[in-house]
Amino acid sequence: MKPEWSQWAQEAKKQFPEANSSLLPLLHRIQDAEGWLSDETIHDVASLLGLTPQYVESVASFYSLFYRQTVGKNVIHVCVGLSCALAGSDHVMEELEHKLGIREGQTTPDGEYTLLEAECLAACDLAPVVQRNLRFRGRVDATKLDALLTDDGKEVNS
Amino acid sequence: MSQQYYLLRNREVPNIDEMPVYLAHGGYQALRKALNDFKPEELVDMVKKSGLRGRGGAGFPTGMKWGFLPNDGRKRYLVVNSDEAEPGTFKDREIIEHNPHQLIEGIIISSYATKAREAFIYCRGEFLFGSEQLKRAVREAYEQGFLGENILGSGFSLDLEVYRGAGAYICGEESALLESLEGKRGNPRLKPPFPAVAGLYGGPTVINNVETIANVPVIVTKGADWYTSMGTAKSPGLKIFSVSGRVQRPGNYEIPLATPLRTLIEDYAGGMLPGRQLKAVIPGGSSVPLMTPDKLDTPLDYESILQAGSMLGSGGCIVLDDHVCIVGATARLVRFYREESCGKCTPCREGTYWMTDVLDRLEHGLGTPEDLDTLADVADNIGGKCFCPLGDASLGVLVSALKYFREEFEAHVAQHACPMGERLYDTINN
Ligand SMILES: Cc1cc2nc3c(=O)[nH]c(=O)nc-3n(C[C@H](O)[C@H](O)[C@H](O)COP(=O)(O)O)c2cc1C
Ligand code: SF4
C-alpha cells in the first residue's frame, strides 16, 4: 500500500453521504497512479474502506475501465460502434495491429501500448474515433494514426 | 444554416464553458430569477406546463416525474444521467464538454424546484475531458456562490458532486446507475419502487438526462408558453438530434420537435454522400427499430415516429446508405448488447449471445435457412421477458431488419456469402 492511499480513502469518503460511494472514485484514483489494479491493490482498497476483497473484486470486475491486468503506458481504445464502423474503424484497428505488431487485447512487449476495442464512445460526429488514455482523436486516418501514437497527447474534441 | 441556439450555445459563443463568458452572456440569470421570483412548486408547475419530456430516451414528462416525489420529509437527491452510451448518441457530450455551466445552472434550479439538498452528475467513465470540464465548472460555481450554503442569499443550499462511471452501458439505466453510484456492480434494480420513492441511498430521488436539465434554464428564462410554441402539443420544444453514419455533415443539430426527418438529414446533415441512396435510418439510438426511406417525411416528434413504427428515443440518428449491408450493420449492433448485457437475467445474457453468433454466421455466408427462424425464435424469447429494458432494446433493429430487409438475409444464405462483400465501410471512390 502506498502511504498516500489512506489519505485518498479519507478524502473520497468525505465526498459522499455514504462511504460505499467512495469505492469507484478511490479505484479510479489509484489506477490513475498505478496503471492497473493488482490483487494486492484490491486487498488494500478493501481494508481502507472496510469492505471484503471479494466485494471489491466483484465491483472492479464489472467495469471495463478497471484494469485487472497490467496495461501499457498508453491504452488505445478503438471505437467499434456502428457509426465508427460505417466510417472505417475496422481498418483503423487493422492498421494499429499492424503498426504495433500486436492483436486487439494485447500489450506491446516494451510495455508502451495496449490495444483495446471500445463500444460506442459517443463521439460519432468524429467517426472513426480512437482514444489514447481516454483522450479523443477524431476522424482518424492512416496519417493521424502515427500522430496518435507519438504526439504529446493533446486531445482533439472537434 | 443560420440558427438560434438555446442548448448548444457554445456554437455561437466561444469559450462559454468558462464562467466569466457564461456570465457575460446572461448565465445564471435564470437561477436568480428562479430563486427570487418563484416558489419551488411554481417551478414544478412551469416545467409541467412547458411539456418538457425526458431526453434520455423514454420521453417521460419531466414535471410529472418531479411531482411523484413523496412529501414525507426524507432527504431528497437529484441525479443527472450523463452516462451517454446509446450507440449513435453524442449530444450530452457536447453539452458537458462545451456548455457545462448551462447544465449546472439547470441542476441548481431543478434541485430548488424539487427541494433536493444534494445533487450528483453521473458521468460516463470514458468522458475524461467532459468530467474535467464538469469538475472545473462546479468549482467555479461554488466560488461564485451558486453552490453551497445559502445560494445568493435565498436560504436554499445545494451540494453538487461529479461522479465518474467506469465503462458500462447498463449504468445509463437509472436503477443500475444508482447501484453504481452507491459503489456496487451496475445491475438494475427491481421496479417498483421507482427512484422517486426509493432511489439513491433509499431516499426520494429525481433522475434526469443532461439535455433534459439543460432545457430548464431556457424554460425559466423564456417561459413555458414560448417553449410550447415549438413542436406539437404532446411533443413541445427543442431537441438535439445526433446525426451520424453516411451523411455529408454528421453532427448535433438542435431543432424544434416535429421537424421532418427529411429536413434533418437532407438540409441540416447535408444529405447523403455523392451518388448514394438512403437505405434506412435508425432515428433514436441503437435501441429503436429501423425506418425505411418511404418514412422520410415523418415529423420528428414522439407520437409521429411511434406511428411510423419506430421511436424517438435519445435522438441518435444513424443513417445507412445503399452500400451498407443490413445484416452486417445489425450484427454490429446486436453484438453491442451482447457486450453490454449485465448478465443478471438469462434471456438477455444468453439471447444476445446467440443472436450475435447467428448474425455473424449469416454475414460470413455460413448461415442456413433455419437461422432466420432461430433469430426470430430467440428474439421472441427475449421480448418482454427480461428484467430491464436492455433486453428489448437489443431487438429493435434486428426485428425491423428482418421485417423490411428479409430478402437481404435470405440472399446471404442463398449465395453463401454477403452479397455486398461484408461491407460496412467503403471509400467513395471504390
Ligand atoms: C439500457 C439503458 C440505458 C440507458 N442509458 C441512458 C443514458 O445513457 N442516458 C440517459 O439519460 N438515460 C439513459 N437511459 C434512460 C434512463 O433509465 C432514464 O430513463 C433517464 O435517465 C431519465 O431521464 P429523463 O427523463 O430526463 O430522460 C437508459 C435506459 C436503459 C434501459
Ligand atoms: S435485461 Fe440484460 S441488462 Fe437488463 S438486467 Fe437482464 S441481463 Fe442485465
Side-chain angles (χ1 to χ4, degrees), chain B residues 65-376:
Chain B
K65 184 188 271 190
W66 292 2
F68 288 154
L69 291 163
N71 262 320
D72 53 10
R74 287 181 297 156
K75 181 175 171 183
R76 292 175 173 182
Y77 298 98
L78 185 124
V79 178
V80 175
N81 191 338
S82 179
D83 196 52
E84 188 167 62
E86 170 91 356
T89 314
F90 46 90
K91 64 198 176 62
D92 300 338
R93 188 189 104 248
E94 180 164 348
I95 295 174
I96 63 168
E97 285 183 350
H98 301 296
N99 193 12
H101 279 295
Q102 182 159 338
L103 173 64
I104 291 169
E105 184 172 11
I107 292 171
I108 306 167
I109 298 170
S110 304
S111 299
Y112 172 68
T114 58
K115 301 180 184 171
R117 173 68 181 75
E118 191 147 10
F120 297 88
I121 304 172
Y122 185 99
C123 185
R124 179 175 181 181
E126 290 87 344
F127 286 167
L128 183 56
F129 179 60
S131 68
E132 289 167 352
Q133 286 286 79
L134 285 171
K135 284 178 184 170
R136 178 175 58 82
V138 166
R139 199 165 58 238
E140 289 173 339
Y142 270 104
E143 283 161 11
Q144 294 284 328
F146 300 142
L147 283 168
E149 296 298 316
N150 191 17
I151 295 167
L152 300 175
S154 64
F156 172 67
S157 304
L158 180 71
D159 280 314
L160 174 59
E161 195 70 59
V162 179
Y163 186 95
R164 271 185 77 205
Y169 166 66
I170 189 59
C171 291
E173 193 282 326
E174 56 187 18
S175 69
L177 184 154
L178 293 174
E179 290 285 291
S180 180
L181 189 45
E182 292 180 4
K184 301 176 191 152
R185 293 166 68 89
N187 292 122
R189 295 175 179 171
L190 189 65
K191 290 189 266 188
F194 290 94
V197 175
L200 186 63
Y201 312 126
T205 304
V206 171
I207 303 184
N208 278 122
N209 169 260
V210 166
E211 185 189 350
T212 310
I213 297 292
N215 270 281
V216 171
V218 185
I219 292 168
V220 170
T221 302
K222 310 277 293 181
D225 289 341
W226 173 84
Y227 202 75
T228 56
S229 72
M230 295 171 291
T232 65
K234 286 184 172 169
S235 297
L238 293 162
K239 172 86 188 89
I240 304 172
F241 288 89
S242 307
V243 186
S244 68
R246 315 282 259 162
V247 291
Q248 302 262 11
R249 286 194 299 271
N252 283 319
Y253 296 99
E254 174 186 323
I255 53 178
L257 282 162
T259 303
L261 177 58
R262 182 188 296 282
T263 308
L264 178 65
I265 293 177
E266 293 183 357
D267 298 343
Y268 287 92
M272 308 303 292
L273 300 177
R276 298 300 167 82
Q277 301 294 318
L278 178 66
K279 185 169 188 175
V281 181
I282 305 165
S286 61
S287 304
V288 310
L290 292 166
M291 288 168 79
T292 44
D294 56 301
K295 299 282 166 57
L296 209 48
D297 290 309
T298 306
L300 292 166
D301 61 79
Y302 295 94
E303 288 69 30
S304 302
I305 299 194
L306 204 58
Q307 232 166 33
S310 190
M311 287 183 283
L312 189 126
S314 61
C317 183
I318 309 174
V319 180
L320 310 180
D321 69 22
D322 54 348
H323 285 225
V324 175
C325 170
I326 286 287
V327 179
T330 306
R332 184 62 63 125
L333 287 180
V334 172
R335 194 185 100 128
F336 166 79
Y337 293 95
R338 181 192 72 183
E339 294 299 312
E340 297 299 331
S341 166
C342 83
K344 183 180 174 115
C345 63
T346 316
C348 167
R349 185 185 65 235
E350 304 297 324
T352 53
Y353 179 88
W354 280 112
M355 293 191 305
T356 306
D357 219 49
V358 174
L359 283 163
D360 282 346
R361 202 156 69 215
L362 282 165
E363 175 65 350
H364 297 141
L366 304 170
T368 63
E370 294 77 54
D371 279 340
L372 300 194
D373 299 330
T374 307
L375 278 179

Side-chain angles (χ1 to χ4, degrees), chain A residues 60-82:
Chain A
S61 66
F62 186 85
Y63 298 95
S64 62
L65 291 181
F66 289 136
Y67 308 132
R68 292 287 284 110
Q69 289 173 333
T70 52
V71 289
K73 261 196 281 185
N74 299 285
V75 178
I76 312 284
H77 278 105
V78 179
C79 180
V80 298
L82 178 59

